[in-house]
Coordinates of all heavy atoms in Angstrom, one line a residue:
M51 N -88.6 -80.8 -7.9 CA -90.0 -80.6 -8.0 C -90.4 -80.1 -9.4 O -89.5 -80.0 -10.3 CB -90.7 -79.9 -6.9 CG -90.0 -78.5 -6.6 SD -90.9 -77.8 -5.1 CE -90.1 -78.6 -3.8
T52 N -91.7 -79.7 -9.5 CA -92.1 -79.4 -10.9 C -91.6 -78.0 -11.6 O -91.7 -77.9 -12.7 CB -93.7 -79.5 -11.0 OG1 -94.2 -78.6 -10.0 CG2 -94.0 -80.9 -10.8
S53 N -91.4 -77.0 -10.7 CA -91.0 -75.8 -11.2 C -90.2 -74.9 -10.1 O -90.3 -75.2 -9.0 CB -92.2 -75.1 -11.7 OG -93.1 -74.6 -10.6
G54 N -89.7 -73.8 -10.6 CA -89.1 -72.8 -9.6 C -90.2 -72.2 -8.8 O -89.9 -72.0 -7.5
H55 N -91.3 -72.0 -9.4 CA -92.5 -71.3 -8.6 C -92.9 -72.3 -7.5 O -93.1 -72.0 -6.3 CB -93.7 -71.1 -9.5 CG -94.9 -70.6 -8.9 ND1 -95.0 -69.4 -8.3 CD2 -96.0 -71.3 -8.6 CE1 -96.2 -69.3 -7.8 NE2 -96.8 -70.4 -7.8
A56 N -93.0 -73.7 -7.8 CA -93.2 -74.6 -6.9 C -92.4 -74.7 -5.8 O -92.6 -74.8 -4.5 CB -93.4 -76.1 -7.6
A57 N -91.0 -74.5 -6.1 CA -89.9 -74.5 -5.1 C -90.1 -73.2 -4.1 O -89.9 -73.3 -2.9 CB -88.6 -74.4 -5.7
L58 N -90.4 -72.1 -4.7 CA -90.6 -70.9 -3.9 C -91.8 -71.0 -3.0 O -91.8 -70.7 -1.8 CB -90.9 -69.7 -4.8 CG -89.7 -69.2 -5.6 CD1 -90.1 -68.2 -6.7 CD2 -88.6 -68.6 -4.8
V59 N -92.9 -71.5 -3.4 CA -94.1 -71.6 -2.6 C -93.9 -72.7 -1.4 O -94.1 -72.3 -0.3 CB -95.4 -72.1 -3.4 CG1 -96.5 -72.4 -2.5 CG2 -95.7 -71.1 -4.5
S60 N -93.3 -73.7 -1.8 CA -92.9 -74.8 -0.8 C -92.0 -74.2 0.2 O -92.1 -74.6 1.4 CB -92.4 -76.0 -1.5 OG -93.2 -76.6 -2.5
A82 N -94.0 -64.8 -11.1 CA -94.1 -65.9 -10.3 C -93.5 -65.7 -8.8 O -93.9 -66.4 -7.8 CB -93.3 -67.1 -10.9
S86 N -95.9 -66.3 -5.6 CA -95.6 -67.5 -4.6 C -95.9 -67.0 -3.3 O -96.3 -67.7 -2.4 CB -94.1 -67.9 -4.7 OG -93.2 -66.8 -4.4
D150 N -84.3 -66.4 -4.8 CA -84.9 -66.9 -6.0 C -83.8 -66.8 -7.0 O -83.4 -65.8 -7.6 CB -86.0 -65.8 -6.5 CG -86.7 -66.3 -7.8 OD1 -86.0 -67.0 -8.6 OD2 -87.8 -65.8 -8.0
C152 N -83.7 -68.8 -9.7 CA -84.4 -69.4 -10.8 C -83.7 -69.1 -12.2 O -83.6 -70.0 -13.1 CB -85.8 -69.2 -11.0 SG -86.7 -70.0 -9.6
A172 N -84.4 -71.2 -4.4 CA -85.2 -71.9 -5.4 C -84.4 -71.8 -6.7 O -84.0 -70.8 -7.0 CB -86.6 -71.3 -5.5
L173 N -84.5 -73.0 -7.5 CA -83.8 -73.1 -8.8 C -85.0 -73.4 -9.7 O -85.9 -74.1 -9.4 CB -82.8 -74.2 -8.9 CG -81.6 -74.1 -7.8 CD1 -80.6 -75.3 -8.0 CD2 -80.9 -72.8 -7.8
S174 N -84.7 -73.0 -11.1 CA -85.7 -73.4 -12.1 C -84.9 -74.1 -13.2 O -83.8 -73.8 -13.5 CB -86.4 -72.2 -12.7 OG -87.1 -72.5 -13.8
F175 N -85.6 -75.2 -13.7 CA -85.1 -75.9 -14.9 C -86.0 -75.8 -16.0 O -86.0 -76.7 -16.9 CB -84.8 -77.5 -14.5 CG -84.0 -77.6 -13.2 CD1 -84.5 -78.3 -12.1 CD2 -82.9 -76.9 -13.0 CE1 -83.7 -78.5 -11.0 CE2 -82.1 -77.0 -11.8 CZ -82.4 -77.8 -10.8
N176 N -86.6 -74.7 -16.2 CA -87.5 -74.4 -17.3 C -86.7 -74.3 -18.5 O -85.4 -74.2 -18.4 CB -88.2 -73.0 -17.0 CG -88.9 -72.4 -18.1 OD1 -88.4 -71.8 -19.0 ND2 -90.1 -72.7 -18.1
E185 N -89.2 -78.3 -18.1 CA -89.9 -77.8 -16.9 C -89.1 -78.5 -15.6 O -88.7 -79.6 -15.8 CB -91.3 -77.9 -16.8 CG -92.2 -76.9 -17.7 CD -92.0 -75.5 -17.1 OE1 -91.4 -75.2 -16.0 OE2 -92.6 -74.6 -17.7
G186 N -89.2 -77.8 -14.6 CA -88.6 -78.4 -13.3 C -88.0 -77.3 -12.4 O -88.0 -76.2 -12.8
G187 N -87.8 -77.8 -11.1 CA -87.2 -76.8 -10.2 C -86.8 -77.5 -9.0 O -86.9 -78.7 -8.9
A188 N -86.2 -76.9 -8.1 CA -85.7 -77.5 -6.9 C -85.7 -76.4 -5.7 O -85.4 -75.3 -5.9 CB -84.2 -78.0 -7.1
L189 N -85.9 -76.9 -4.5 CA -85.9 -76.3 -3.3 C -84.6 -76.6 -2.7 O -84.3 -77.9 -2.6 CB -87.0 -76.5 -2.4 CG -87.2 -75.7 -1.1 CD1 -88.6 -75.9 -0.6 CD2 -86.3 -76.2 -0.1

Side-chain angles (χ1 to χ4, degrees):
M51 52 184 77
T52 54
S53 69
H55 175 74
L58 290 171
V59 179
S60 299
S86 68
D150 183 337
C152 291
L173 307 180
S174 172
F175 308 130
N176 175 276
E185 282 291 1
L189 187 162

